[in-house]
Amino acid sequence: ENWLAEIEVELNNEDYGTDLATVKSLSKSHSVLENVMATQRNKLNALGVQAAGYIEESHFDSDKIKERQTVLEDKFQALEEPMRLRKEKLSDALLLQQFFRDIEDEMTWVKEKEPGVKTTATGSDLYSARNLVHTHKQLMSEVNIHEGKINDVCERGERMIENKHFALLDIQDKIGLLRKKWQNLHALAAARKADLEDAIQIHQFFTNAAEIESWCKEMSPIFNNEDYGKDEDTSKGMLRRTQAQTIELQGRATKVKDMIDEGNRCKQRNIILGNGKKKPKVQALYDYAEKSNREISVKKSTLR
């Protein structure tokens, strides 16, 4: 009877844990208590059989034995419902704390990926920009694969809400926050992808421009050559080469026009260096022809 009183106090305890570790500890203690209750039930049943024998044999104190047996049975049965309710609440608390732990893990994962999509670095040249595109694709592959875990956690929380969990408002808030962070990660990733595509476009433009500039530099002495040949055969040979070079020049002119159109479509007007800082540029105020190999020729209004 004293043991039953102690159990009653324990079952009325409103402590259901504040984190996953304490809830697991309380659940384990409750499982031990259930085993003890089962053992005590067997003992009580044995006492009932013994009491019934005394009553059947008309024991001189049979009335008190019967009364005592009934009191014990009533007290024991009165603990069964509190035992069930505490187990149910501990089970709900365990679900809640496990959900909180898992959703915090997912938020941490999202936070760890944010720097990769928030960076403004798009490479200082075409090669580095392509490497960054490759890195971004790998990151997005990780994000896409991880989306299943995000959905699993949120769907588990939604089922808890459907089952009227006692902390359904907190669960709703956590799900909403994780969904918002996940959507923001995707939005940042999309913006990052667009920035890298722009960078590839403009880096390709400058790469092509450098190639055209190099060709012009190479052909300039040829077109400016004042040697027209010493005889007819030499002049004819030079004319054929000039005609071929003129055709090539016309082809290059078409390519330059296409490049200008492409440049006008570029959204970015400043190359972004690998450290995320914008590359400073200066504008030429007039044409300048290089006078040594340590200088460069520029045209008026050229940005460098």
Side-chain angles (χ1 to χ4, degrees), residues 100-286:
F100 282 167
R101 169 71 66 83
D102 293 343
I103 209 162
E104 285 299 326
D105 287 346
E106 296 310 316
M107 288 184 184
T108 299
W109 189 92
V110 171
K111 186 175 181 180
E112 289 174 351
K113 301 303 173 184
E114 284 179 351
V117 294
K118 284 183 175 179
T119 178
T120 58
T122 50
S124 57
D125 53 38
L126 186 59
Y127 177 78
S128 58
R130 283 174 175 168
N131 282 339
L132 288 172
V133 168
H134 178 70
T135 299
H136 185 70
K137 285 181 179 179
Q138 288 182 320
L139 175 60
M140 288 313 301
S141 178
E142 288 183 50
V143 170
N144 293 333
I145 291 172
H146 199 83
E147 187 166 11
K149 291 185 178 181
I150 298 289
N151 290 334
D152 286 345
V153 172
C154 290
E155 287 169 5
R156 193 184 341 139
E158 288 164 356
R159 287 194 296 271
M160 292 167 69
I161 294 171
E162 290 174 1
N163 293 332
K164 308 299 182 184
H165 192 280
F166 68 85
L168 62 89
L169 294 179
D170 291 333
I171 295 170
Q172 284 177 335
D173 289 343
K174 291 288 187 180
I175 292 174
L177 183 58
L178 179 58
R179 292 287 192 195
K180 184 177 180 180
K181 287 182 177 292
W182 186 249
Q183 291 169 1
N184 184 57
L185 183 69
H186 273 279
L188 290 170
R192 172 72 174 155
K193 181 173 183 284
D195 287 345
L196 288 172
E197 288 174 348
D198 287 343
I200 290 290
Q201 187 178 31
I202 200 165
H203 282 311
Q204 186 66 64
F205 171 83
F206 280 115
T207 299
N208 293 341
E211 190 272 330
I212 291 292
E213 186 178 11
S214 176
W215 182 87
C216 289
K217 185 176 180 180
E218 178 185 342
M219 299 304 295
S220 180
I222 297 175
F223 286 122
N224 291 323
N225 187 4
E226 295 184 358
D227 179 9
Y228 302 103
K230 297 178 180 180
D231 52 46
E232 183 178 358
D233 290 338
T234 303
S235 296
K236 286 182 178 179
M238 294 177 68
L239 177 61
R240 286 194 296 271
R241 287 194 296 273
T242 300
Q243 288 173 336
Q245 290 162 349
T246 300
I247 293 173
E248 184 179 2
L249 177 62
Q250 291 171 345
R252 296 276 182 171
T254 301
K255 186 175 181 180
V256 169
K257 182 179 181 302
D258 292 341
M259 284 176 57
I260 292 172
D261 293 339
E262 182 70 18
N264 290 332
R265 289 192 295 270
C266 287
K267 296 177 182 178
Q268 291 181 214
R269 297 304 178 187
N270 294 320
I271 294 294
I272 305 298
L273 297 176
N275 59 9
K277 297 180 180 178
K278 291 186 177 181
K279 183 178 179 180
K281 293 180 178 293
V282 294
Q283 186 175 34
L285 299 179
Y286 50 83

Side-chain angles (χ1 to χ4, degrees), residues 16-63:
Y16 297 105
T18 56
D19 54 40
L20 187 58
T22 55
V23 174
K24 284 184 175 180
S25 178
L26 289 170
S27 297
K28 185 177 180 180
S29 297
H30 190 77
S31 296
V32 172
L33 185 59
E34 285 181 315
N35 293 333
V36 173
M37 283 283 287
T39 301
Q40 294 299 325
R41 163 52 74 183
N42 292 334
K43 290 182 179 180
L44 185 59
N45 290 341
L47 282 175
V49 172
Q50 188 178 4
Y54 289 146
I55 294 170
E56 187 177 350
E57 294 173 359
S58 300
H59 190 280
F60 73 92
D61 212 11
S62 60
D63 289 341

